[in-house]
Amino acid sequence: MPADRLLGTLLRSLQTYSDQQDTPRLLSTASTLLTTLTNPLNITLLTTQLLLSPSLFPPSSSSLAASLRLLAAFHTAARTVQRHERHLAAQRRLLRHQRHHHHSSGAGAGGPRGAGRAGYEGPGPRGAAPVPGLEEWVRAVVRGAETDRAERWKHVLVLGGLLVGFESGVREEGELEELEEEGIGLLGAGLRSRLGEALVRAGNLALREGGGAELGGMTVALVLNHAFPYLEDGEREAVEYDLLLPVLINATFFSSEGLQSAYFLGSMDLDVKQVPGKKFNWPKSSQSFNHVQRILSQPLMASLGPLSRLMAHAVENVRDSWLIQAATEDIAAFARSMLTQWRQNKLSEIDVSEEAVFLHGEALKETVPVLWRLLRSTMFAIVIILRAVVGRLIGDGTLAADGVSPHLVTQVLHTLRGIYFISSRLGPSSFSQYTFISFAAIDILTQYPQQSDAFIHAIAPSSLGSIPSHPLDRTLDLFFLNTVEHFTLALSPQATDTLVLPAARPYLTVASAAASAPDRPSSSLLPLFEAAHAAVLALLSAPAAAEQLGAPGGGGGGGGFLPFYVDTLFAMFPGGLSPRQFRLAFRTLMRVAAPPAPLAVRQPEFAEVLVEMVRRRAETAGTEPLAQQGARAQAQGDASLTPQSVLVLALLDALPFLPPPALDEWLPEAARLVRSVRPEQARDACAARLWEVLLGGEMDPERALVCVAWWEGRGGRDLVFGEAEGDGVVAVGNAAGDEGLMMSGGLPVRERESKL
C-alpha cells in the first residue's frame, strides 16, 4: 500500500478506540511510516496524532506499558533512520572509490545519478522520493511533539525516544571515532544539545504541571531512567531533582507499577499450601506467583538497578535537604511494611537451613528463587539509595544538625532492620555499601546517648529471656545483637541490664548446653551464639559496662553475670566456639580483670582464678587435632591445633595481664604446660607463642624485668631448653643450633681468647 494511503488508514485508526484494537500493530505501522514518509509535514502530523490518540492512551488505563510502547516506537524509528543514513554513506564511499579507480585507469568518471543527495533511500520502491535528511527528519518529529493539545509528559516520550535511539546506536556499534570524523549517522552538535535540553525542559515542565499524577510521573521517571546515561553534565544539572525525587520514590516503592508497598508478600500466603510429606508448595499456576512475575517484568522493575542509581543521584543533588529526610522516612515505611507482610507469609516460618526439608521441589527450585530474586533486587536498590543519603548527611550542614541527624540515621537503621531477613541470607558484610551505611549510621547515632538508648529500646527483642520459635524473630534477634555491640559506650546501665544481657543470655545458655551434647549446635543458631558472645565482649570492653557486669549481682542473677559468662565460655569450647573466638574472649576477660580495671581493685584474685581454670582444663583436655572435630577450625587456619594447645595458648595470652608477683609464679607453670602439649606440631605453635609473649613487646617494663629475672636467675632457661629434665624440650632456636636464644637486651657469653 502506498505510504500516503497507509498514513490515512493509520490516522483513522488512531482517532478511534475499541477493546479489539491491536495497539502494538498500530505502533509498529507508525514506526515504519515515520521512517518512510517523504514529506516532513506528514511526519509532523503523524507524531502529533500519536500523542493525541485515545487508542494508545485510553482514559480508563493508567498502565505504564503504553508509555513504554510509544517510547520504543520513536526509539526504533530513530535507530532505523540512523542505519539508513550509514547505509547510504557506505554507498557513497564505494562510489567515490570506483570513480577514483576509473579515473586512474582512464575510464569515465560517471556514476549513478543522485548518489550524493542529502536524504537517504528508505525501504520503499526504487525511484521513490527521498526521505528527508537526518536532521530535517528530527526537526519534523520534534515539531509534531510540540503540540499544546498533548500533556507535557507525552512530549518527554518523543524526545526521550529520539535521544536514546541515536545515542545508544552510536555507542552500541562501537564506531564513534569513525562516525565523528565523517559525520555519519550523528546529530550535529547544536541539534544534539537542543534535543537533550528540550528533553530536560519538557521533563521539568511535566513535573511542575502535575507530573506527580500517577501515570505522568511514572512516565517521566521511566524516560529519564533510560535517557540519563546519555545526558551531558550540563543537562543533568538542569534537572529539577526537588520535583523528581518524590516521584521516583513513589513510583518505585508504592505505585501499582512498582513494588506496591510489598503487599504481594502477604497476599501470596493464600497460595502457599501444605502438600503430602509435610511440605509446603507455592505452585507456578498460582495467581500470586504470576503477580510476582508481572512485577518483575514491569517497565520500572525491569530496570530497577539503573533506577536506584538515578534516585541516588537525585538524593545527592536535591536543593531542599528536607526532601532527603522525607524520602528516607518513606523508604523506612516501605521496609517496615515489607517486614510485616513477610511475617504474614508461611514461607517466613521456614528457616533457611530447613528449606530443603520443608519445601516442595517445585517451590524450592522454581517459584521461591523467583521471589528471592525480586527481594534481592529490592534490597540492593534500597542500599544504593541509603548510601547516597548517608553520604549527603555527612556533607550537608542542614542534615548534620543535632536536631536532624539522629532522627535521619535512626530511620536508616530501621530500614536496614526491615530488610535484614533478605540481607542475612547473603551475609550483610558481603558487600561494602551495606557495611558503610551501617557503620556510618551507628557512628553518628552513638554521639547522641539519649537517641541511642531509644533506638535500642525500639529494636529490642519482644521475647527477652528466651529464644523465639519463629525464624523471623531469631533473624531480628541477630540484627539486634550485631547492632548493639557497637552501642556499648553509649548505652545506659539500665539498657545494658534490662535489654542487652537478657537478649544474649538465652543464646549463651543454649549454646553451652548444646556444645556439651554429642550433637553440635544447629548451624542456623551458630551466628546467634557468636553474636551473643560478641555483644558480651563488647560490653566487657566498655569500662562502665564491665564494672557493672563485674559487680556482685551485676547483669541480673544472684551471682552476677560475669561468673555465668566465664562458665559458659569454657562450656562452649571447642564445640561451639572456634579457637580464635575462645582466645579473644578469654583475653578480653583478662583485660577486664587486670589492673587498672575497677574489677581488679574489687576482686584482685579474679585474674589468677581465670588462669587457674585454664590450667586445670588444659591438663585434661583432648589432644586430637581440631581438624577432626569440625570444619570451622579448618576454615580459620587452626586445623593443626588441639583443644589442649588452644587452652595453653589462651594461658600464654593472659601472661601480660597478670600482676608481677603472680607472673613470677605462673612463668614456670606456663613453660611446663608448653612442654606437655602433644603432638609436636601443636607444641611448636605454643612454644612460638611463648617466645612471642616474652620477646614481642607485650610486657610492660615492670613485667619484662620479672621475665628477665626468671630467665636468668630462676631456672627459666633450663626449664625451657629442657636441661633440668631429659625429655620434652621446647625446641626453639636457629637452624644451625649453634647459639641459644636469650631475653631481649641480653649480652652473648663469649669464650675468653688466649693471649699466648
Side-chain angles (χ1 to χ4, degrees), residues 200-441:
V200 173
R201 184 167 56 252
N204 291 339
L205 290 174
L207 294 173
R208 292 177 197 167
E209 297 177 5
E214 189 165 358
L215 181 57
M218 290 188 297
T219 299
V220 174
L222 173 70
V223 175
L224 287 180
N225 186 37
H226 284 84
F228 202 75
Y230 307 113
L231 293 178
E232 302 293 340
D233 292 341
E235 295 162 355
R236 294 183 179 185
E237 293 175 359
V239 176
E240 296 188 8
Y241 295 103
D242 288 16
L243 300 175
L244 179 62
L245 180 59
V247 173
L248 291 172
I249 296 294
N250 179 72
T252 303
F253 296 106
F254 303 104
S255 72
S256 59
E257 296 289 334
L259 292 166
Q260 306 168 11
S261 299
Y263 289 145
F264 63 89
L265 288 175
S267 62
M268 63 180 281
D269 179 66
L270 298 174
D271 293 326
V272 179
K273 304 290 186 181
Q274 188 170 2
V275 296
K278 296 183 179 180
K279 295 191 175 186
F280 291 90
N281 189 26
W282 184 33
K284 292 189 296 183
S285 58
S286 62
Q287 293 184 357
S288 57
F289 179 69
N290 293 331
H291 183 53
V292 170
Q293 287 184 313
R294 284 196 300 272
I295 293 176
L296 282 168
S297 62
Q298 286 173 341
L300 289 176
M301 294 297 99
S303 57
L304 187 56
L307 185 62
S308 62
R309 290 191 289 272
L310 176 59
M311 286 186 279
H313 186 79
V315 166
E316 294 169 350
N317 290 274
V318 293
R319 294 182 175 87
D320 187 355
S321 300
W322 300 112
L323 290 173
I324 299 177
Q325 183 174 348
T328 306
E329 292 174 351
D330 288 341
I331 296 174
F334 171 80
R336 186 165 53 249
S337 173
M338 184 165 60
L339 182 63
T340 302
Q341 295 299 319
W342 177 245
R343 184 183 292 276
Q344 299 173 5
N345 194 319
K346 293 186 185 71
L347 295 178
S348 68
E349 301 173 7
I350 303 175
D351 193 87
V352 178
S353 61
E354 300 174 341
E355 287 183 347
V357 178
F358 292 105
L359 283 182
H360 185 268
E362 181 182 15
L364 184 63
K365 298 179 181 179
E366 299 185 36
T367 55
V368 172
V370 174
L371 173 65
W372 283 110
R373 178 157 59 91
L374 174 59
L375 293 178
R376 282 195 299 269
S377 299
T378 303
M379 178 199 66
F380 287 128
I382 290 175
V383 168
I384 290 173
I385 299 169
L386 293 183
R387 168 65 177 82
V389 170
V390 174
R392 179 68 183 265
L393 168 63
I394 294 174
D396 191 298
T398 302
L399 296 178
D402 291 341
V404 180
S405 60
H407 174 73
L408 192 61
V409 296
T410 299
Q411 295 299 318
V412 170
L413 291 173
H414 277 299
T415 303
L416 296 182
R417 180 177 183 266
I419 64 174
Y420 197 70
F421 74 96
I422 309 172
S423 61
S424 61
R425 296 174 70 98
L426 305 176
S429 59
S430 60
F431 49 109
S432 59
Q433 292 203 26
Y434 185 101
T435 304
F436 168 77
I437 295 167
S438 178
F439 286 170

Side-chain angles (χ1 to χ4, degrees), residues 586-615:
F586 189 77
R587 187 180 179 89
T588 304
L589 284 173
M590 289 298 301
R591 186 167 58 248
V592 172
L599 181 61
V601 177
R602 189 166 50 249
Q603 301 182 34
E605 74 285 351
F606 188 66
E608 289 190 67
V609 170
L610 291 175
V611 177
E612 179 64 24
M613 292 179 67
V614 172
R615 183 189 68 81

Side-chain angles (χ1 to χ4, degrees), residues 157-209:
L157 289 170
V158 178
L159 299 171
L162 294 180
L163 180 64
V164 175
F166 286 119
E167 292 294 302
S168 64
V170 170
R171 301 189 185 190
E172 289 175 7
E173 298 190 16
E175 301 174 355
L176 185 57
E177 294 183 0
E178 178 183 353
L179 296 173
E180 284 183 343
E181 291 177 0
E182 301 191 18
I184 301 169
L186 294 176
L187 299 176
L191 183 59
R192 162 60 187 80
S193 177
R194 289 195 296 273
L195 186 60
E197 293 171 357
L199 172 61
V200 173
R201 184 167 56 252
N204 291 339
L205 290 174
L207 294 173
R208 292 177 197 167
E209 297 177 5

Side-chain angles (χ1 to χ4, degrees), residues 143-157:
R143 281 195 298 269
E146 292 175 347
T147 176
D148 294 334
R149 292 180 292 168
E151 295 89 339
R152 290 285 185 182
W153 56 267
K154 293 183 180 179
H155 301 178
V156 177
L157 289 170

Side-chain angles (χ1 to χ4, degrees), residues 617-647:
R617 290 180 179 270
E619 290 176 348
T620 59
T623 57
E624 274 191 3
L626 290 171
Q628 301 176 14
Q629 303 179 20
R632 298 180 69 218
Q634 295 181 8
Q636 297 186 358
D638 300 326
S640 64
L641 298 179
T642 65
Q644 180 194 34
S645 62
V646 173
L647 290 167

Side-chain angles (χ1 to χ4, degrees), residues 396-686:
D396 191 298
T398 302
L399 296 178
D402 291 341
V404 180
S405 60
H407 174 73
L408 192 61
V409 296
T410 299
Q411 295 299 318
V412 170
L413 291 173
H414 277 299
T415 303
L416 296 182
R417 180 177 183 266
I419 64 174
Y420 197 70
F421 74 96
I422 309 172
S423 61
S424 61
R425 296 174 70 98
L426 305 176
S429 59
S430 60
F431 49 109
S432 59
Q433 292 203 26
Y434 185 101
T435 304
F436 168 77
I437 295 167
S438 178
F439 286 170
I442 289 172
D443 286 345
I444 294 172
L445 188 56
T446 50
Q447 305 303 312
Y448 305 91
Q450 185 176 357
Q451 288 86 344
S452 298
D453 220 53
F455 171 70
I456 294 302
H457 277 80
I459 67 171
S462 56
S463 56
L464 286 171
S466 62
I467 297 179
S469 58
H470 200 292
L472 182 58
D473 290 327
R474 294 200 296 270
T475 300
L476 296 179
D477 284 3
L478 180 61
F479 177 83
F480 173 80
L481 293 171
N482 284 335
T483 303
V484 78
E485 68 173 285
H486 302 289
F487 283 88
T488 52
L489 294 175
L491 289 181
S492 64
Q494 181 184 6
T496 300
D497 208 27
T498 60
L499 296 179
V500 183
L501 297 181
R505 185 187 289 268
Y507 293 105
L508 296 175
T509 304
V510 174
S512 61
S516 59
D519 297 330
R520 291 194 171 275
S522 169
S523 60
S524 63
L525 293 180
L526 280 177
L528 284 157
F529 301 156
E530 295 175 357
H533 275 282
V536 173
L537 292 178
L539 288 173
L540 293 175
S541 300
E547 183 177 3
Q548 179 185 357
L549 296 184
F561 185 84
L562 199 55
F564 159 77
Y565 180 70
V566 172
D567 291 339
T568 301
L569 179 64
F570 283 103
M572 277 290 293
F573 179 77
L577 287 176
S578 69
R580 181 189 60 81
Q581 292 169 328
F582 175 78
R583 291 175 61 187
L584 175 63
F586 189 77
R587 187 180 179 89
T588 304
L589 284 173
M590 289 298 301
R591 186 167 58 248
V592 172
L599 181 61
V601 177
R602 189 166 50 249
Q603 301 182 34
E605 74 285 351
F606 188 66
E608 289 190 67
V609 170
L610 291 175
V611 177
E612 179 64 24
M613 292 179 67
V614 172
R615 183 189 68 81
R616 290 190 178 183
R617 290 180 179 270
E619 290 176 348
T620 59
T623 57
E624 274 191 3
L626 290 171
Q628 301 176 14
Q629 303 179 20
R632 298 180 69 218
Q634 295 181 8
Q636 297 186 358
D638 300 326
S640 64
L641 298 179
T642 65
Q644 180 194 34
S645 62
V646 173
L647 290 167
V648 172
L649 288 171
L651 187 146
L652 298 176
D653 293 339
L655 292 179
F657 299 101
L658 291 173
L663 177 63
D664 192 26
E665 297 178 7
W666 278 99
L667 281 171
E669 190 63 32
R672 292 190 187 96
L673 282 175
V674 171
R675 293 174 57 179
S676 68
V677 172
R678 299 291 185 275
E680 183 178 355
Q681 189 175 7
R683 183 172 64 246
D684 291 344
C686 294

